[in-house]
Amino acid sequence: MPVPISCKVIALVGFMGCGKTTVGRLLAERLGWRFVDLDTRIVERSGSSIVDIFRRHGEPVFREIEQEVLDRSLGEIAERGRCAVFALGGGTLTRPENLGRLRQAGATLVWLDCPVEDLLIRCAGVSDRPLFRDESSFRRLFQERVPVYSQADYRVDATAEPALVVERILPLVRLTGVGG
Ligand code: S3P
């Protein structure tokens, strides 16, 4: 049995296509918590698509915006004393400061783990991911990212249907006293 956890923020991490947004939304619904999708907030904040930010300004500027939006979103949740599920971007944890901010906020990090073969299939044909260029760079980036995601508190097999992945995460959440 997993050790029960008590927290007000659950942050889903993992590579592109692992299901952070879909699982995060469902999980938040089940818990009655707020849902924060970091990529969506970045688009709202900048008024540009992720692809456009990468194309016009490059990845370093995207990472700056991402960090600022993460800071602001964590601040809002803390200020309002709310419980929230965050879907981070696939590269959010590549900045160590972001992991620090999440830890400071008391977030529990859950890695949605999926084999790269499945992720390739899920991402094929989707054009809104600037870092999905070709198969070999995708595989290379995945290998680089595994140690980054390994910093999460929990690792959950995310190969199943999103609803089943949610069932796997729920036992990790101690419901008493914190929201739904
Ligand atoms: C990125 C993943 C994307 C998005 C951006 C960069 C990455 O999010 O933040 O394209 O560095 O892996 P998803 O993981 O939600 O696709």
Short mmCIF file of all heavy atoms in Angstrom, two decimals, residues 8-9 34-36 41 71-84 86 179:
data_model
loop_
_atom_site.label_atom_id
_atom_site.label_comp_id
_atom_site.label_asym_id
_atom_site.label_seq_id
_atom_site.Cartn_x
_atom_site.Cartn_y
_atom_site.Cartn_z
N LYS A 8 -1.95 19.93 -0.45
CA LYS A 8 -2.94 20.78 -1.09
C LYS A 8 -2.67 20.97 -2.57
O LYS A 8 -3.48 21.51 -3.27
CB LYS A 8 -2.99 22.12 -0.37
CG LYS A 8 -3.53 21.94 1.04
CD LYS A 8 -4.00 23.23 1.63
CE LYS A 8 -4.72 22.94 2.92
NZ LYS A 8 -5.28 24.13 3.51
N VAL A 9 -1.50 20.56 -3.00
CA VAL A 9 -1.21 20.63 -4.44
C VAL A 9 -0.63 19.29 -4.88
O VAL A 9 0.31 18.78 -4.28
CB VAL A 9 -0.18 21.75 -4.76
CG1 VAL A 9 0.25 21.67 -6.22
CG2 VAL A 9 -0.76 23.13 -4.46
N ARG A 34 -9.36 22.44 -7.59
CA ARG A 34 -9.13 23.25 -8.79
C ARG A 34 -8.15 22.54 -9.71
O ARG A 34 -7.31 21.78 -9.24
CB ARG A 34 -8.56 24.62 -8.42
CG ARG A 34 -9.55 25.49 -7.71
CD ARG A 34 -8.93 26.82 -7.39
NE ARG A 34 -8.86 27.68 -8.56
CZ ARG A 34 -9.86 28.43 -8.98
NH1 ARG A 34 -11.01 28.43 -8.33
NH2 ARG A 34 -9.74 29.20 -10.04
N PHE A 35 -8.28 22.85 -11.00
CA PHE A 35 -7.33 22.28 -11.96
C PHE A 35 -6.56 23.41 -12.62
O PHE A 35 -7.15 24.37 -13.12
CB PHE A 35 -8.07 21.46 -13.02
CG PHE A 35 -7.15 20.95 -14.10
CD1 PHE A 35 -6.07 20.14 -13.78
CD2 PHE A 35 -7.36 21.30 -15.43
CE1 PHE A 35 -5.21 19.69 -14.76
CE2 PHE A 35 -6.50 20.84 -16.43
CZ PHE A 35 -5.42 20.03 -16.08
N VAL A 36 -5.24 23.30 -12.60
CA VAL A 36 -4.38 24.31 -13.23
C VAL A 36 -3.54 23.63 -14.30
O VAL A 36 -2.72 22.75 -13.97
CB VAL A 36 -3.44 24.98 -12.19
CG1 VAL A 36 -2.51 25.98 -12.87
CG2 VAL A 36 -4.25 25.66 -11.08
N ARG A 41 -2.28 28.18 -19.04
CA ARG A 41 -2.04 29.47 -18.38
C ARG A 41 -0.98 30.29 -19.13
O ARG A 41 -1.06 31.51 -19.19
CB ARG A 41 -1.56 29.25 -16.94
CG ARG A 41 -2.61 28.64 -16.05
CD ARG A 41 -3.06 29.65 -15.03
NE ARG A 41 -4.21 29.14 -14.31
CZ ARG A 41 -4.45 29.41 -13.04
NH1 ARG A 41 -3.64 30.19 -12.36
NH2 ARG A 41 -5.52 28.95 -12.46
N ASP A 71 5.05 30.30 -10.76
CA ASP A 71 5.13 31.08 -9.51
C ASP A 71 3.80 31.74 -9.18
O ASP A 71 3.31 31.66 -8.06
CB ASP A 71 6.15 32.22 -9.69
CG ASP A 71 7.51 31.80 -9.20
OD1 ASP A 71 7.64 30.67 -8.69
OD2 ASP A 71 8.45 32.61 -9.34
N ARG A 72 3.25 32.39 -10.20
CA ARG A 72 2.00 33.13 -10.00
C ARG A 72 0.86 32.16 -9.64
O ARG A 72 0.07 32.44 -8.73
CB ARG A 72 1.66 33.88 -11.29
CG ARG A 72 0.55 34.87 -11.10
CD ARG A 72 0.26 35.61 -12.36
NE ARG A 72 1.37 36.48 -12.78
CZ ARG A 72 1.27 37.37 -13.75
NH1 ARG A 72 0.15 37.51 -14.40
NH2 ARG A 72 2.29 38.12 -14.08
N SER A 73 0.79 31.05 -10.33
CA SER A 73 -0.30 30.10 -10.09
C SER A 73 -0.19 29.48 -8.70
O SER A 73 -1.20 29.33 -8.00
CB SER A 73 -0.29 28.98 -11.14
OG SER A 73 -0.34 29.54 -12.43
N LEU A 74 1.02 29.14 -8.29
CA LEU A 74 1.21 28.58 -6.94
C LEU A 74 0.85 29.63 -5.89
O LEU A 74 0.24 29.33 -4.88
CB LEU A 74 2.66 28.11 -6.75
CG LEU A 74 3.06 26.82 -7.47
CD1 LEU A 74 4.57 26.59 -7.37
CD2 LEU A 74 2.32 25.60 -6.91
N GLY A 75 1.23 30.88 -6.19
CA GLY A 75 0.93 31.98 -5.27
C GLY A 75 -0.57 32.15 -5.09
O GLY A 75 -1.07 32.29 -3.97
N GLU A 76 -1.31 32.10 -6.19
CA GLU A 76 -2.78 32.26 -6.14
C GLU A 76 -3.42 31.16 -5.30
O GLU A 76 -4.30 31.42 -4.48
CB GLU A 76 -3.35 32.14 -7.56
CG GLU A 76 -3.33 33.43 -8.34
CD GLU A 76 -3.68 33.16 -9.81
OE1 GLU A 76 -4.38 32.15 -10.10
OE2 GLU A 76 -3.22 33.95 -10.63
N ILE A 77 -2.96 29.94 -5.53
CA ILE A 77 -3.54 28.80 -4.80
C ILE A 77 -3.25 28.94 -3.30
O ILE A 77 -4.13 28.74 -2.46
CB ILE A 77 -2.96 27.47 -5.37
CG1 ILE A 77 -3.45 27.24 -6.80
CG2 ILE A 77 -3.29 26.28 -4.48
CD1 ILE A 77 -4.94 27.00 -6.94
N ALA A 78 -2.02 29.34 -2.99
CA ALA A 78 -1.64 29.49 -1.57
C ALA A 78 -2.44 30.61 -0.92
O ALA A 78 -2.97 30.44 0.19
CB ALA A 78 -0.15 29.77 -1.47
N GLU A 79 -2.55 31.73 -1.63
CA GLU A 79 -3.28 32.89 -1.10
C GLU A 79 -4.73 32.53 -0.76
O GLU A 79 -5.27 32.94 0.26
CB GLU A 79 -3.33 33.95 -2.19
CG GLU A 79 -2.84 35.31 -1.76
CD GLU A 79 -2.68 36.18 -3.00
OE1 GLU A 79 -3.72 36.49 -3.62
OE2 GLU A 79 -1.52 36.51 -3.34
N ARG A 80 -5.33 31.77 -1.65
CA ARG A 80 -6.74 31.42 -1.46
C ARG A 80 -6.93 30.18 -0.61
O ARG A 80 -8.06 29.75 -0.38
CB ARG A 80 -7.42 31.22 -2.81
CG ARG A 80 -7.44 32.52 -3.58
CD ARG A 80 -8.01 32.35 -4.95
NE ARG A 80 -7.72 33.52 -5.77
CZ ARG A 80 -7.88 33.57 -7.07
NH1 ARG A 80 -8.32 32.53 -7.71
NH2 ARG A 80 -7.60 34.67 -7.73
N GLY A 81 -5.81 29.56 -0.20
CA GLY A 81 -5.90 28.35 0.63
C GLY A 81 -6.64 27.22 -0.07
O GLY A 81 -7.38 26.47 0.55
N ARG A 82 -6.46 27.15 -1.38
CA ARG A 82 -7.19 26.13 -2.15
C ARG A 82 -6.36 24.87 -2.34
O ARG A 82 -5.15 24.89 -2.22
CB ARG A 82 -7.53 26.69 -3.55
CG ARG A 82 -8.28 27.98 -3.56
CD ARG A 82 -9.65 27.87 -2.95
NE ARG A 82 -10.56 27.03 -3.72
CZ ARG A 82 -11.41 27.50 -4.62
NH1 ARG A 82 -11.48 28.78 -4.86
NH2 ARG A 82 -12.21 26.69 -5.28
N CYS A 83 -7.05 23.80 -2.68
CA CYS A 83 -6.37 22.57 -3.09
C CYS A 83 -6.41 22.54 -4.62
O CYS A 83 -7.41 22.93 -5.22
CB CYS A 83 -7.10 21.35 -2.56
SG CYS A 83 -7.13 21.29 -0.77
N ALA A 84 -5.35 22.08 -5.23
CA ALA A 84 -5.32 22.08 -6.69
C ALA A 84 -4.50 20.93 -7.25
O ALA A 84 -3.54 20.47 -6.62
CB ALA A 84 -4.75 23.40 -7.21
N PHE A 86 -2.16 20.35 -10.45
CA PHE A 86 -1.44 21.05 -11.51
C PHE A 86 -1.00 20.04 -12.56
O PHE A 86 -0.44 19.00 -12.22
CB PHE A 86 -0.16 21.71 -10.97
CG PHE A 86 -0.36 23.06 -10.33
CD1 PHE A 86 -1.17 23.22 -9.22
CD2 PHE A 86 0.29 24.19 -10.85
CE1 PHE A 86 -1.34 24.47 -8.63
CE2 PHE A 86 0.13 25.44 -10.27
CZ PHE A 86 -0.69 25.58 -9.16
N GLY A 179 -10.28 19.27 1.10
CA GLY A 179 -11.18 19.30 -0.04
C GLY A 179 -11.97 18.01 -0.16
O GLY A 179 -12.19 17.29 0.80
#
